[in-house]
Amino acid sequence: MTFLRPLLIGLLFLAAHAARAHTASTAWLTLSVSNATVTGQWEISLRDLDDALGLDANDDGQLTWGELRARHADVAAYALNHLTLRADGEPLTVRVREHRLSERGGGTCAVLRFEATATAPVRDLALDYRLFFDRDPLHRGLVSQTDGSGSPSLGKTAGPVNTSVLSPERSSVTFHLAEHKAASSFTRFVREGIHHIWTGYDHLLFLLALLLPAVLWRDATGWRPQASFRQALGRVLQVVTAFTVAHSITLALAAFDLVRLPSRLVESTIAASIAVAAIGNLWRVTDCETSVGTGQSLLGWLLARPWVMAFAFGLIHGFGFAGALSELDLHRGSLAVPLVGFNLGVEAGQLACVAVFLPLAFALRGSRFYRLGALPFASVGILLLAGGWFIERACDVKFLPF
Amino acid sequence: MGLLTCFWTAFGYAAVTPTFVPTDDAQIVAQLRPSGLSSSERELRTLRASLAQNPTNLPLATDVARRLIQQARRESDPRYLGQAEVALGPWWNQAVPPVEALVLRATIRQSLHDFTAALTDLDAALAIDGRNLQAWLTKFTVHTVRGEYESARRACVPLLRLGDNLTATTAAATLASLTGDASRSLRLLETALARDAQAPVPTRLWALTQLAETLDRLGRAPEAERHFQAALAPSPHDPYLLGAYADFLLDQHRPAEVAGLLRDFARMDGLLLRLAEAQAVLPAESSALKSEVAELTARFANARDRGDRVHLREEARFNLRLLGQPAAALALARENWGIQKEPADARLLLEAARMAKDRPTEDAVLAWVATNRLEDIHLQPRALASLP
């Protein structure tokens, strides 16, 4: 029993200890596919390689570059022996082209840069990973597949398209390249579009200002409720369609870099457009007539046709969307997918709002609350907010909390 | 942009790490061990080689696994736990392996914070051999760490019968110090340490560390200091002790000593964290601090990518004290609290809740402290009032 005693205590402390651990054994494998060529970079901890291969020739605890260099062939053979790559079912022959080093996971890693060539452009890249699992089941292979535009061998930074944690329980993975690329970025851009319309309140506010009076019509005495839902729906559709068509046009023009406007001008004008829409709701109908035919102002004609305003200002909002889209760091040449995805996202977000707004507004349209309360007060609120934004954006200052 | 940020940083992806090629063959590219191969490491290497030839030799396998677990503890490196698992390979996936293998499997699982699986193994082992001291001791530890003091008390009783005096006393005193009997705990430990002056170093280390930590919780800093020193003298490299003493020094506003104490231990994540905390309050160390915060960020990101859960406590602390992110710290501290409930975990959750202005969580921790009658000055309103 005596010899066991220190051990007992040794074991006992472990519970508290694991939390102070070193980084566990990890290797990072980055794969990049361009047509039929697969390039990769594999970073493997030198401590783990030493445990497997005995790299420290003189066992002094210090590994020199000379000691490591002498064993480069062994390192490459050992690593590649524990990795199988298949391109659409065809096993690939992997050649290590370069040995380098990196600092990662609290230690130095051997960096293996390798290449493999398939007989045809790769669609599915399958990976069977076995490194160190027979020596340390806690080892994990962190695999990322980047798209071909950023090759690791050039040290370029390409975000991973796909990542996977490989363990003894799950040691293989297949990356579906062509399909994944289009699908993932498409859904991603749709989500970004929805995200943008929901978080960039200015577009929604503009729409709201134009839609508030859609369930009403005005005569010389003021606002009156629309009689039929169909009529109200028709007006809403006019406004939304005009806005959509207009911003789609300019979004495409800007995304393909055919037209460029300074973002300060675009953002200020967007703020101004909201203010103008709000003012339109507050305009006293006696100040203007509803038809140009009677020889009165253009303004009167405009107020009776909010879709014209939606279209005109929609053109400017499109440039605003383009600004948001350009922040998404796109690769030129594959612009169509993001553009369509992002735009669809914007429309979906917009329609969701309209679907909530319209029935509610229609139900309330006859009430004094809506005509005398909600419409003017909401319009004044929108006007104040938009005015604030306009000053902020035009003068490049910040005083509003949102 | 939130979504997108997630997308690009899948894997905490530091883009592509910079790589390099040394120009000189004599350049040292990696420090594999703190020093040359020690005799015990040489012995272990021989044993592993013969185990590879004869993998089903149970006594050899358990010997190798035991040595590897000790090495994991000494070096604070989970690699050796994985290697120990391999040594136990033929028995690892059996429902009921031989008792020796079962207890070692429990120890490895406990070290990886898989406490539930560890307890299942320990109960299975004790069903076969009710006199297995190691199994009782490990069970006691797991329950204590999880704050399950009633179960810990039940596991402690057999220790008094099966274990040596200092081991049994230290276990009982540990429990007493956490459940409202800190003064009795101190008396027990002092008496036992005085009587068992010849007890093995690791046992004394455990007892002295317990004593120092209890004194610290009672606010008796000079005495705590004395016992930390007494523990450090024969065991200057013990990672747990170094961490505990560094925490004590940080609380005592003695960061310069922490920097000196831990400078050579930056390879261990938990000690690097404390080193960085010390440097954060030492004006001369601001450049070192920057690189250490980056290093810790990378290591925690790596642990998260791997799906590890053993770093939650340290990661919460990192977020709270070094990144100034109380909301993130609170989420991590809460997750950690679901796994372990040591005084340090309670303190972290409490401080994170206070700084994130989460009153209900704060009250819940204080209620837990009151229920268990945990005596700890760091959990007093006065200590909290000093938080920024």
Side-chain angles (χ1 to χ4, degrees), chain A residues 30-318:
Chain A
T30 313
L31 294 164
S32 168
V33 183
S34 176
N35 291 320
T37 308
V38 179
T39 48
Q41 171 164 306
W42 202 353
E43 295 169 74
I44 309 170
S45 158
L46 286 174
R47 290 194 53 211
D48 294 331
L49 284 170
D50 175 62
D51 183 65
L53 296 170
L55 300 177
D56 184 14
N58 59 2
D59 277 337
D60 63 352
Q62 295 180 328
L63 185 65
T64 62
W65 177 237
E67 281 174 320
L68 178 58
R69 229 161 44 88
R71 303 290 303 280
H72 269 160
D74 295 338
V75 169
Y78 183 84
L80 294 182
N81 220 350
H82 293 89
L83 177 72
T84 309
L85 290 179
R86 275 189 202 82
D88 304 303
E90 164 202 356
L92 296 178
T93 308
V94 179
R95 287 174 313 276
V96 172
R97 303 181 51 128
E98 198 186 358
H99 288 269
R100 302 176 68 88
L101 296 172
S102 69
E103 296 291 338
R104 211 165 183 177
T108 313
C109 290
V111 177
L112 276 64
R113 283 190 176 158
F114 60 80
E115 194 178 279
T117 310
T119 47
V122 183
R123 298 177 60 82
D124 286 357
L125 181 64
L127 183 85
D128 183 24
Y129 184 103
R130 300 176 300 274
L131 187 69
F132 299 138
F133 291 154
D134 58 338
R135 310 187 62 86
D136 175 3
L138 302 178
H139 175 81
R140 294 291 176 269
L142 303 188
V143 186
S144 25
Q145 176 243 319
T146 67
D147 64 16
S149 59
S151 144
S153 61
L154 296 174
K156 268 208 211 153
T157 56
V161 172
N162 219 327
T163 56
S164 193
V165 182
L166 298 183
S167 63
E169 292 74 38
R170 182 176 181 271
S171 61
S172 51
V173 63
T174 301
F175 297 128
H176 307 289
L177 304 175
E179 164 201 342
H180 174 88
K181 219 159 138 182
S184 86
S185 43
F186 185 73
T187 50
R188 179 182 141 226
F189 286 110
V190 171
R191 261 183 302 167
E192 283 301 326
I194 297 173
H195 182 73
H196 180 70
I197 192 101
W198 275 100
T199 53
Y201 333 94
D202 42 4
H203 310 297
L204 282 182
L205 225 48
F206 175 70
L207 218 48
L208 183 68
L210 289 180
L211 293 182
L212 271 174
V215 291
L216 308 170
W217 61 280
R218 54 181 136 194
D219 64 11
T221 59
W223 293 104
R224 309 196 156 267
Q226 289 275 12
S228 82
F229 186 75
R230 262 187 71 175
Q231 243 172 340
L233 179 66
R235 293 191 49 163
V236 166
L237 283 182
Q238 272 179 357
V239 167
V240 173
T241 309
F243 185 61
T244 302
V245 169
H247 74 227
S248 300
I249 293 172
T250 43
L251 171 58
L253 288 177
F256 284 103
D257 216 4
L258 298 172
V259 182
R260 219 183 285 174
L261 289 181
S263 81
R264 190 158 156 191
L265 176 70
V266 169
E267 294 300 320
S268 314
T269 314
I270 289 176
S273 73
I274 305 166
V276 169
I279 291 171
N281 293 343
L282 298 169
W283 210 264
R284 290 170 59 91
V285 79
T286 45
D287 298 339
C288 59
E289 300 305 323
T290 51
S291 145
V292 179
T294 53
Q296 276 78 17
S297 67
L298 177 67
L299 186 65
W301 184 82
L302 256 182
L303 285 178
R305 291 164 188 79
W307 65 268
V308 176
M309 193 146 44
F311 185 86
F313 283 124
L315 292 171
I316 289 292
H317 283 251

Side-chain angles (χ1 to χ4, degrees), chain B residues 256 258-267 275 279 282 285 288 292:
Chain B
V258 175
L261 184 73
L262 300 183
R263 207 172 295 280
D264 295 334
F265 295 93
R267 63 183 186 281
L275 181 60
Q279 284 165 342
L282 290 170
E285 306 271 9
E292 273 152 16

Side-chain angles (χ1 to χ4, degrees), chain B residues 114-149:
Chain B
D114 189 356
F115 294 139
T116 310
L119 286 174
T120 308
D121 279 351
L122 292 169
D123 289 338
L126 289 167
I128 302 168
D129 174 12
R131 296 181 53 82
N132 192 306
L133 174 59
Q134 179 65 69
W136 283 118
L137 201 46
T138 311
K139 190 172 153 69
F140 167 79
T141 307
V142 174
H143 284 308
T144 306
V145 168
R146 295 220 293 191
E148 297 160 349
Y149 300 130

Side-chain angles (χ1 to χ4, degrees), chain A residues 7 12 18 25 47-48 138, chain B residues 66 77 79 111 141 240 306:
Chain A
L7 168 72
L12 179 69
S25 167
R47 290 194 53 211
D48 294 331
L138 302 178
Chain B
R66 204 172 275 138
D77 190 339
R79 275 179 176 80
S111 308
T141 307
Y240 181 88
R306 290 174 44 92

Side-chain angles (χ1 to χ4, degrees), chain A residues 1 3-26 28 30 41 43 45-48 50-51 56 59-69 98-108 111 113 133-140 142-144 146 152 155-161 163-165 184 188 191-192 195 324 327-329 331, chain B residues 1-4 7-8 10-11 13-22 24-33 35-37 42 45 48 66 69-70 73 75-83 85-86 104 107 110-113 115 133-134 137-138 141 145 164 167 200 202-203 205-206 209 238-240 243-244 247 267-270 274 295 299 302 305-306 308 310-311 313-314 340 342:
Chain A
M1 221 31 221
F3 80 96
L4 259 178
R5 214 173 283 151
L7 168 72
L8 293 173
I9 304 311
L11 297 185
L12 179 69
F13 259 140
L14 273 169
H17 263 278
R20 296 171 186 200
H22 263 290
T23 306
S25 167
T26 309
W28 293 265
T30 313
Q41 171 164 306
E43 295 169 74
S45 158
L46 286 174
R47 290 194 53 211
D48 294 331
D50 175 62
D51 183 65
D56 184 14
D59 277 337
D60 63 352
Q62 295 180 328
L63 185 65
T64 62
W65 177 237
E67 281 174 320
L68 178 58
R69 229 161 44 88
E98 198 186 358
H99 288 269
R100 302 176 68 88
L101 296 172
S102 69
E103 296 291 338
R104 211 165 183 177
T108 313
V111 177
R113 283 190 176 158
F133 291 154
D134 58 338
R135 310 187 62 86
D136 175 3
L138 302 178
H139 175 81
R140 294 291 176 269
L142 303 188
V143 186
S144 25
T146 67
K156 268 208 211 153
T157 56
V161 172
T163 56
S164 193
V165 182
S184 86
R188 179 182 141 226
R191 261 183 302 167
E192 283 301 326
H195 182 73
E327 283 171 29
L328 303 190
D329 188 23
H331 302 292
Chain B
M1 290 304 286
L3 264 177
L4 193 73
F7 188 86
W8 287 128
F11 265 177
Y13 203 74
V16 177
T17 45
T19 61
F20 57 96
V21 178
D24 182 1
D25 271 356
Q27 185 179 333
I28 293 162
V29 295
Q31 188 77 41
L32 301 170
R33 284 178 297 278
S35 58
L37 211 56
R42 206 173 291 275
R45 195 183 273 189
R48 277 178 82 192
R66 204 172 275 138
I69 293 170
Q70 279 176 317
R73 160 175 145 58
E75 297 288 317
S76 193
D77 190 339
R79 275 179 176 80
Y80 301 111
L81 296 175
Q83 294 173 7
E85 179 180 331
V86 170
L104 288 168
T107 309
Q110 165 219 15
S111 308
L112 298 169
H113 289 196
F115 294 139
L133 174 59
Q134 179 65 69
L137 201 46
T138 311
T141 307
V145 168
D164 66 289
T167 302
T203 319
L205 171 65
W206 181 32
T209 311
D238 184 81
Y240 181 88
D247 286 347
R267 63 183 186 281
M268 300 181 189
D269 301 352
R274 289 160 173 90
E295 175 68 24
R299 291 198 203 173
N302 180 39
D305 293 345
R306 290 174 44 92
D308 289 348
V310 291
H311 285 72
R313 180 197 287 175
E314 330 290 299
Q340 50 182 356
E342 292 191 282

